[in-house]
Each structure stands twice: as C-alpha cells, then as structure tokens.
Amino acid sequence: MRFDPNTPVVVGVGQVSNLPHSEGEGSLADRPEPIGLMVEAVEAAIEDCDGVCPGGAAPAGRALTGRAESLRVANPLSWHYANPGDLVAEALGIEPAQVMVTTTGGNNPQRMVNATALAIGRGELDVAVLVGADCVYTQAAARRHPDRPVLPWTVQPADTGPALTFGTDRRGSTDAEEERGLDLPIHTFPLFENALRAEAGRSLEGHRLHIGSLWSRFSEVAAGNPHAWLREARTADEVATASAANRMIDYPYTKLLTANMQVDQGAAVILCSASAAEAAGVPRDRWIFPLAGADTEDHWFLSHRADFHSSPAIRLGGSSALSLAGVTIDQVAHLDLYSCFPSAVQIAAAELGLPDDDPARPLTVTGGLTFGGGPGNNYGTHALAAMVGTLRADPGSLGLATGLGWYMSTHSIGIFGTDPGPPPGTGPDAARLPDGTVVESAGGFSWADPQAAVGGLPQCSPDADAQGEVTVETYSVAYGREGSPERAVVACRTPEGRRAWANVTEPDHLAVLVTEEGCGRLGTLRADGEIDLR
C-alpha cells in the first residue's frame, strides 16, 4: 500500500518499571533517577523498532534516533531539572535541534503525540522522540528512611539554557476554591464521584460496589501487564473497603481507588515519517498509525462547570476525533481512558458512548494509574506504549486513548490503527463536526479543536460571598490517617442558582455525609464559610 511519505507512524515504544528491591537488597541512593529511567525507556524503544534483534544492535532504531530532530519530555514531578531533555540527549549521544519540556498535566503526552503527528504530516519534522519518567517511589522512600539518605540526583548548572515549553501553564483552581481546600486532585475528584452517584440514583453502598467492581477489572488488566507496578488482581471488596492497608483517603476513595504516584517508571515513543521508517528499515509490522486526535478544555475552573457528572469537552472532542478517523466508537477494539480516579473513567466512558462494565472490551490496556502506575505527568506515554503492543497483536484493529489534565479541565484524545488513514482528498466530512471546530489534516493524520463549541455551552456563575440558604450539589470528605473524616469541601447552589463553596468540620455533620446521601441536602452557609446541614 502506498501513501503520503510524510504519514506519521509510531515505530518504537519502550517502558521500564523499577520495582522496589527486596528488603535488605541495594540502597535507595543506587536506584536510578528520572533521567536514568528516561534513557532506559528510549533504549527500549530503539530496540522495539527492530522487533527481536539479537544482541540489541537495533540498526533501524539507532539510525532513527541518531537523526532525531526533536526530543520532547514530560516534565518529572519528583525532581527539578533545568532542562531534562539536554541530559537525555547527552546520555543517548544525540543532538536534536529542538528540545521541549511539558507543563504539568496528564493530557500532555497524548497532546504531544497529536502535535508531533501533525508536524510530521506537514513535513516540519522527520523523527521525534517522546519520553518521560518519574521516581516518586524512591524520593518518598528516602524521606521516610530513618537515615534520610541523600539521593545523588543530577543538578544542572545555574546557566543551563531552558527548553521550549509545551502545554498550558495555568493554575488549576481559583482563590475561592483553594481557600476551601480544593488544592489537590484527591480533594477534587470525589466531587465528581459523589455527583455521579447522585445522578445515577445509587445508594452509597451500591455505588461503593460499582466503583469497586470497575477498579477490580482494572486490576485484572494490570495483573497481565509486565510493566505494571501492582500486578495482583483485586476483588471489588478489596479495592473499595477501607482497612489498615487500604485506608480511606477522601470519601468515597480508599487508597486503592486513587492514582498511585509512588512509582519509579519511564516510557518513550519514537514517532517518524513513513519515509524515514522505510529508509531506516523498520519492519512494516512495527508501524502503528496515529489516525486522528482532538484537544479541548471544559470550562476551566470548577466554579464554572454546569455540573459535576459530565464533560462536554470529552463528548465533543471524542466525537470529533472519531469523525475525523471515519469510525464509530463501536469500531474501536482497544481503549485506554485516563484513570486517575474512577470518576474520570465513568465520565469519559459515558461521554464516548461506552459501558463501563463490558468484560469484552476493558477500558484500559495498562491497568490504570492505580495498578499500572501513575508516574506524574507521563502516564499517557505508558498508555500509548501499551496500546501499540496491543494493536500490533491484533492487526486491522483500532485503539483510542485519552489524557486528562488538572481537575477534569483539559482533555486529549488519540485514535490509532495498524493501517493508515484515508488517502489525500478523501478525508473526513467536516460537516459532522461541532460548529466552529478547527481542523488540521496532514499526512493522513487529522486533528480537531472543538473549543468554540465547548466554550459556548452554559456555565455556572460563582458567588464567593454567598450566605444563607443553599442546596448541597456535591462534596468531598477528607480523612485523617487515623481513619476519621476531618473536613468536607461542599459545592452549593444558592437560590439564584449560583455556585458557592463551603466547608464542614463538625463531626456529626461529617458523619452524615459519609453515611447518608448528602447531594440535594439543604443547609445554611455561614459567613465563616462553614455550612450547617439539615
């Protein structure tokens, strides 16, 4: 089959999971730092370009990487590097003309794939390497260790030139939201979860079992993933029942229902043009084609969301990407929905038209951020690496992956296949896209930005000074390490329909929120920001 020589293809992927040593084996100071895992991941991707290659020579992969024009790095959270891309390039012995580093956001790896595929399709790039790694496990273990070992990780000179920045560098919360405690994902995503339960009409116990079953299925996928951090299948009760080993973090999330950041993991992807892959001699069965993608944002701040159980951005972004690929969601065989928390998966599945309990079509190819591992900004690279392997094993199939940044704020979607997209001049019908959607197509890859349609949808008006009668919309209840609820953040609606934020610290009221349905309950919002529930 002949196609545009600028057609973008994924030709190599690599993953590394540096699991904890057995007790008494090795020292924390000897464990690799993030840069080391990035280099290992790229080396694995180099070898993957050639498939099984005796002795690790990988001539095709090394030829491609040696001529890489762009090195694009998901910024690690466990260590600050002035320019991590320079260190990776130096270790690999390559000299890319361009080095990029992402901002914070789990959407950035997929967004970077979309941007890279477009650049290759337009002929602006021929070969690019995308990589990331984080070592939060080692960093946290060093802090907990009684000897407080110093990790000998690289500190670059003060005059190190910065890399180009990729992504949106924007705070995730307003002052009013942060004042009430919406400062971390673990305090924010329960707002979506409790709203989903109320919208579905489930009891507290019924919903606990629902998300436990969902996450149990994710653990089963991780059990078969050689790169997963936690490789033991768990039952729904094991996942969703609080215990000494699985404490409640923020209702209704136990530890095993949250993203597992304490991992040491790295992943890399080599993207190039079809002509570069052919010239290097990459076997055709290694090629995976990015077919279509979309990037968009929900109303950015939580205060402005129309509700907490939907995502118009995923709905319109997903439908746009599927339209550009010329397929329906029923034709997509393999999925990886960004899975920092169960609410993220449930919302994405609903917006894409997927059941969240289909045993024949799991919603993850890795096991998700709890069991597969949640290495900071770089989970999406692991998702794509796993998706590439899954697609290669199922010729003719399609895969869809999503990325998510901040608090269900920004979203990236990619559709991939073992076969190329439509030839030039026979691309997708733009009439099927939401009004105002920006579309770019090059080299058989198409990308959509339906932000005009998303931004035009209704949004809520905040009221930071609200007092008096309010209705509880949803809530998040943070627990202390001893196992008792300590503080709730409550999203309220005023009689005028505006959104206000409140706290609950009174023990009896906290107990109500974790034993009875709190959504829809009436209360009185006081001047000090506390709400008295009725």
Side-chain angles (χ1 to χ4, degrees):
M1 179 184 295
R2 301 305 303 169
F3 37 85
D4 190 326
N6 290 334
T7 299
V9 288
V10 177
V11 292
V13 296
Q15 297 187 75
V16 56
S17 290
N18 188 26
L19 296 172
H21 294 311
S22 301
E23 188 174 350
E25 179 188 347
S27 70
L28 292 172
D30 292 335
R31 292 177 63 84
E33 63 180 289
I35 291 299
L37 292 190
M38 290 185 204
V39 173
E40 285 188 50
V42 175
E43 289 286 353
I46 289 171
E47 295 187 12
D48 183 65
C49 291
D50 292 76
V52 178
C53 188
R62 297 203 180 279
L64 282 174
T65 309
R67 55 182 285 201
E69 299 149 302
S70 183
L71 177 61
R72 303 178 171 202
V73 179
N75 203 23
L77 302 181
S78 54
W79 193 250
H80 174 70
Y81 299 101
N83 189 335
D86 279 357
L87 295 172
V88 173
E90 181 180 2
L92 292 171
I94 63 176
E95 297 181 353
Q98 179 192 71
V99 174
M100 283 185 177
V101 177
T102 70
T103 58
T104 297
N107 63 303
N108 276 326
Q110 179 56 53
R111 183 177 178 182
M112 197 154 53
V113 169
N114 290 344
T116 305
L118 269 180
I120 291 171
R122 290 191 294 251
E124 299 166 0
L125 275 179
D126 210 26
V127 182
V129 176
L130 284 58
V131 65
D134 239 311
C135 296
V136 175
Y137 168 81
T138 295
Q139 182 194 58
R143 285 200 307 265
R144 292 192 300 263
H145 197 281
D147 295 336
R148 299 297 296 270
V150 176
L151 299 176
W153 292 359
T154 304
V155 177
Q156 290 176 285
D159 60 353
T160 299
L164 295 172
T165 298
F166 180 91
T168 300
D169 191 9
R170 185 179 183 186
R171 62 185 294 196
S173 304
T174 66
D175 290 341
E177 292 165 0
E178 290 183 1
E179 184 178 349
R180 294 290 170 247
L182 295 175
D183 55 349
L184 293 171
I186 187 53
H187 302 316
T188 303
F189 279 82
L191 298 172
F192 302 112
E193 195 65 64
N194 289 315
L196 282 164
R197 181 192 65 239
E199 178 69 12
R202 296 191 189 98
S203 67
L204 272 64
E205 176 63 10
H207 194 71
R208 184 185 73 84
L209 293 175
H210 179 78
I211 59 177
S213 296
L214 174 63
W215 242 227
S216 174
R217 293 191 291 275
F218 273 54
S219 77
E220 291 169 0
V221 173
N225 175 8
H227 300 290
W229 192 260
L230 301 177
R231 303 174 192 170
E232 177 186 351
R234 310 292 184 107
T235 67
D237 267 340
E238 286 177 316
V239 169
T241 301
S243 66
N246 185 34
R247 66 185 181 90
M248 185 67 71
I249 306 293
D250 201 306
Y251 186 81
Y253 293 149
T254 61
K255 184 178 179 181
L256 285 175
L257 289 168
T258 68
N260 181 10
M261 297 280 287
Q262 293 200 19
V263 299
D264 287 9
Q265 293 180 309
V269 172
I270 299 174
L271 258 167
C272 67
S273 66
S275 59
E278 285 183 334
V282 179
R284 177 63 179 77
D285 62 3
R286 311 307 291 168
W287 298 16
I288 295 297
F289 296 84
L291 302 176
D295 293 280
T296 190
E297 300 171 355
D298 277 305
H299 299 318
W300 187 268
F301 294 118
L302 295 169
S303 295
H304 299 147
R305 305 284 171 85
D307 59 60
F308 290 99
H309 56 78
S310 69
S311 170
I314 296 177
R315 180 173 68 254
L316 297 179
S319 65
S320 296
L322 290 164
S323 294
L324 293 179
V327 300
T328 68
I329 193 65
D330 291 337
Q331 294 173 276
V332 177
H334 308 290
L335 303 158
D336 196 87
L337 306 187
Y338 195 84
S339 49
C340 48
F341 300 93
S343 56
V345 172
Q346 293 167 88
I347 290 173
E351 299 293 18
L352 292 168
L354 292 162
D356 61 21
D357 59 355
D358 183 353
R361 190 164 54 156
L363 300 180
T364 180
V365 292
T366 68
L369 278 81
T370 298
F371 307 105
N377 291 316
N378 197 49
Y379 169 80
T381 313
H382 288 268
L384 178 53
M387 183 66 75
V388 165
T390 300
L391 291 171
R392 285 172 176 165
D394 186 13
S397 65
L398 298 171
L400 180 149
T402 70
L404 179 155
W406 286 105
Y407 308 136
M408 294 285 291
S409 308
T410 182
H411 309 275
S412 189
I413 297 165
I415 298 175
F416 304 87
T418 58
D419 299 314
T426 62
D429 180 5
R432 296 173 56 193
L433 301 172
D435 288 345
T437 299
V438 175
V439 175
E440 294 187 44
S441 297
F445 175 79
S446 296
W447 171 84
D449 175 8
Q451 194 58 45
V454 178
L457 293 173
Q459 58 181 288
C460 190
S461 297
D463 187 349
D465 301 316
Q467 295 183 43
E469 295 298 298
V470 292
T471 302
V472 173
E473 190 176 10
T474 187
Y475 54 94
S476 166
V477 184
Y479 277 64
R481 298 194 71 87
E482 76 287 350
S484 298
E486 290 187 338
R487 183 182 67 168
V489 181
V490 182
C492 310
R493 287 293 188 121
T494 68
E496 297 77 27
R498 300 179 71 185
R499 180 169 289 126
W501 296 100
N503 290 127
V504 173
T505 56
E506 203 281 323
D508 289 343
H509 287 175
L510 288 171
V512 166
L513 291 176
V514 299
T515 57
E516 302 176 23
E517 181 57 79
C519 298
R521 188 177 290 267
L522 298 176
T524 302
L525 181 54
R526 305 194 315 237
D528 63 359
E530 290 276 326
I531 183 173
D532 296 319
L533 300 174
R534 298 202 296 274

